[in-house]
Amino acid sequence: MSTNVGIAGLGVVAQGLLELVRSNADQLNVIAGKNLSVKRLASRRLRDGVDLSEIVFSTDLDDLLNDDELDLVIELIGGTDAAYDLIKATLERGRGVITANKAVLATHGNELLDIAREHDVPLAFEAAVAGGIPIIAALKTRFPANDINWLTGIINGTCIYILTAMAHDGVAFEDALQNAQELGYAEADPTFDVGGMDAAQKLAILVALAFDVPIEIDSVYCEGIQDITIEDIQHADELGYSIKHLAIGRQEEDLVEMRVHPALVPKDNLLAKVNDVENAVQLGTANTGVLRFTGPGAGGHATASSVIADLTNIASGLYRHPGIGGGSIRVRSIGDVSSAFFLNIAAADRPGVIASIGETLARHSISIASMIQKKEEVIRSVDNEIIPVVILTNTVVERELDQALEELESLADIAAPIKKIRVVDLT
Ligand code: HSE
């Protein structure tokens, strides 16, 4: 008995996959209970130094569809167009698919999973979120008798690399981004990573699995890390927090929160200790407290090992369809979410300014939990010196806070738009 596999793509993950499949062949065949054989690979171009012996190579993805000897196709080309066409056509021909492609799942996942169920073939995607961390397998267990109430994650390696460099080396955002690009951690066009969209796509998939709802990427609130400064990181540090780019999902009754944004995380939490290009996901559960997963979120071998986990599951008959797609989703808008907030208010250094900030916040029932104001941090001097007033608020509904900030920004003593960063307590 054998399982014949076709691979689409020859990038870093595909190369890692070929290496791991070869170097672990005997063990994988034992786990799968049959011979796993990569028969065919289709990619736009060959790569120097990649060993494709005993594999039929072509540049046409349709060759994967037309090869009747293949039992399943591993899609590693990324993007949403050609990948969608390939996955859909493969499933419709009654063959299974493994994909590492969060973008195609975030955009077309509900439809593709329906097609997979209709044709009773696997559509597996362990590698699509958090690279080498087996978070999809964990969520697919459905945690019987142990509901997931919330999840928080650091699921974009580029953002975590940049924030780590800013915090540890005092490197400005632009320089940290350039380093990330030079090291191959960020795409040539990095806006998708630093703007939060990559994390938003992954979150939509995790939330769908965790709460048994459809994948709904358009409802994810999304902010990136472009506006985070070294000063923000230093102020947060003084207050006992690290700044991380977080993905957050929470279910309360029939309302689901889905948001990605920079956030202050208490320094003693696992998420504050995640650095460089590591990923982490925490699950807040009803009966086992907080489950924490960390590991490499990208990289050829790490991501390929998740692909192989799918492969051996399918080949050994252990695959089962995820619960995604059942029911409907009602999303809580960001204005209705409650958090504590970190505020940076550029204010005139004049008697009475702090009092008027406090009064304005108090009118909206917002109290100040901590405050930093340093005379030496002069932003500019015109009539009065302008210095940052950094405030940590109590927990407040965001819509209420926004009203208070609008009023504050209209005061003559407030010199610039107020920076706000959410504080996360789901840890
Ligand atoms: N661009 C992604 C990241 C790669 O930075 O995490 C893995 O999905």
Side-chain angles (χ1 to χ4, degrees):
M1 288 265 282
S2 67
T3 296
N4 294 330
V5 176
I7 298 176
L10 193 45
V12 175
V13 178
Q15 291 174 41
L17 178 63
L18 291 174
E19 285 161 18
L20 291 188
V21 166
R22 282 208 177 94
S23 58
N24 297 280
D26 292 344
Q27 190 190 349
L28 294 181
N29 292 343
V30 170
I31 294 169
K34 51 181 73 158
N35 190 38
L36 298 176
S37 170
V38 179
K39 290 276 184 205
R40 180 179 280 284
L41 189 145
S43 174
R44 271 181 306 196
R45 61 191 168 92
L46 276 168
R47 307 241 178 194
D48 290 341
V50 178
D51 178 6
L52 292 178
S53 50
E54 297 177 52
I55 298 173
V56 182
F57 176 84
S58 75
T59 53
D60 188 351
L61 291 177
D62 282 347
D63 291 341
L64 294 166
L65 290 175
N66 296 329
D67 186 340
D68 289 334
E69 285 193 359
L70 297 184
D71 297 302
L72 61 91
V73 169
I74 301 178
E75 182 276 305
L76 302 173
I77 53 178
T80 49
D81 298 336
Y84 167 72
D85 292 341
L86 175 66
I87 294 171
K88 185 174 176 195
T90 305
L91 296 171
E92 284 173 342
R93 285 177 193 214
R95 291 189 205 130
V97 172
I98 297 170
T99 178
N101 184 338
K102 68 253 161 180
V104 79
L105 291 168
T107 319
H108 300 291
N110 299 319
E111 180 199 353
L112 292 173
L113 283 162
D114 279 347
I115 295 171
R117 280 188 279 259
E118 194 182 311
H119 291 266
D120 200 20
V121 287
L123 172 55
F125 48 91
E126 184 62 69
V129 182
I133 303 175
I135 189 65
I136 303 295
L139 289 171
K140 274 177 80 173
T141 67
R142 308 291 295 275
F143 292 86
N146 189 17
D147 283 347
I148 298 170
N149 298 323
W150 54 261
L151 63 91
T152 50
I154 291 177
I155 49 178
N156 181 269
T158 310
C159 285
I160 187 68
Y161 174 83
I162 290 172
L163 291 174
T164 304
M166 290 172 73
H168 292 182
D169 308 328
V171 179
F173 172 82
E174 289 75 16
D175 298 327
L177 172 57
Q178 199 182 330
N179 286 350
Q181 284 173 308
E182 282 164 13
L183 291 166
Y185 297 149
E187 312 292 336
D189 174 4
T191 46
F192 207 72
D193 286 313
V194 298
M197 283 80 85
D198 175 85
Q201 290 181 335
K202 293 168 179 168
L203 177 68
I205 297 167
L206 293 181
V207 161
L209 283 163
F211 305 133
D212 195 10
V213 292
I215 299 169
E216 202 169 297
I217 181 63
D218 293 341
S219 299
V220 180
Y221 175 80
C222 180
E223 263 179 46
I225 59 166
Q226 306 93 319
D227 295 332
I228 299 297
T229 63
I230 292 179
E231 289 74 26
D232 294 330
I233 292 172
Q234 287 166 346
H235 285 134
D237 183 71
E238 280 185 57
L239 293 164
Y241 294 85
S242 295
I243 296 183
K244 302 291 180 186
H245 187 253
L246 289 198
I248 299 162
R250 169 159 52 177
Q251 190 174 43
E252 266 180 342
E253 292 164 6
D254 64 340
L255 272 183
V256 175
E257 259 173 49
M258 290 194 285
R259 48 193 173 108
V260 301
H261 53 71
L264 269 70
V265 179
K267 274 199 260 182
D268 60 359
N269 185 260
L270 168 85
L271 295 180
K273 294 168 187 152
V274 172
N275 291 309
D276 300 319
V277 284
E278 238 192 343
N279 277 199
V281 179
Q282 301 191 135
L283 305 177
T285 70
N287 297 314
T288 44
V290 181
L291 301 175
R292 306 176 201 275
F293 303 77
T294 58
H301 282 178
T303 310
S305 84
S306 286
V307 172
I308 289 174
D310 282 339
L311 180 57
T312 52
N313 263 351
I314 292 171
S316 59
L318 288 176
Y319 171 87
R320 56 189 184 77
H321 294 296
I324 289 180
S328 58
I329 183 165
R330 282 187 60 225
V331 179
R332 173 176 282 144
S333 77
I334 193 72
D336 292 328
V337 170
S338 295
S339 321
F341 283 87
F342 166 102
L343 305 175
N344 186 329
I345 306 171
D349 185 15
R350 220 175 46 69
V353 169
I354 298 294
S356 59
I357 292 173
E359 275 162 24
T360 306
L361 292 175
R363 267 203 307 283
H364 293 271
S365 305
I366 301 166
S367 71
I368 295 173
S370 312
M371 193 176 81
I372 302 172
Q373 190 194 27
K374 290 188 192 142
K375 232 179 153 38
E376 63 272 19
E377 290 184 320
V378 177
I379 300 169
R380 64 171 188 270
S381 301
V382 189
D383 300 328
N384 288 294
E385 288 191 332
I386 304 295
I387 58 174
V389 177
V390 175
I391 287 174
L392 213 55
T393 72
N394 65 337
T395 300
V396 53
V397 175
E398 183 147 347
R399 199 181 308 286
E400 191 70 35
L401 179 93
D402 287 344
Q403 281 172 13
L405 297 190
E406 209 178 302
E407 285 174 33
L408 281 174
E409 284 169 358
S410 69
L411 299 178
D413 285 329
I414 306 302
I418 296 169
K419 160 93 60 89
K420 73 172 185 194
I421 308 175
R422 297 167 191 89
V423 180
V424 163
D425 60 358
L426 298 173
T427 53

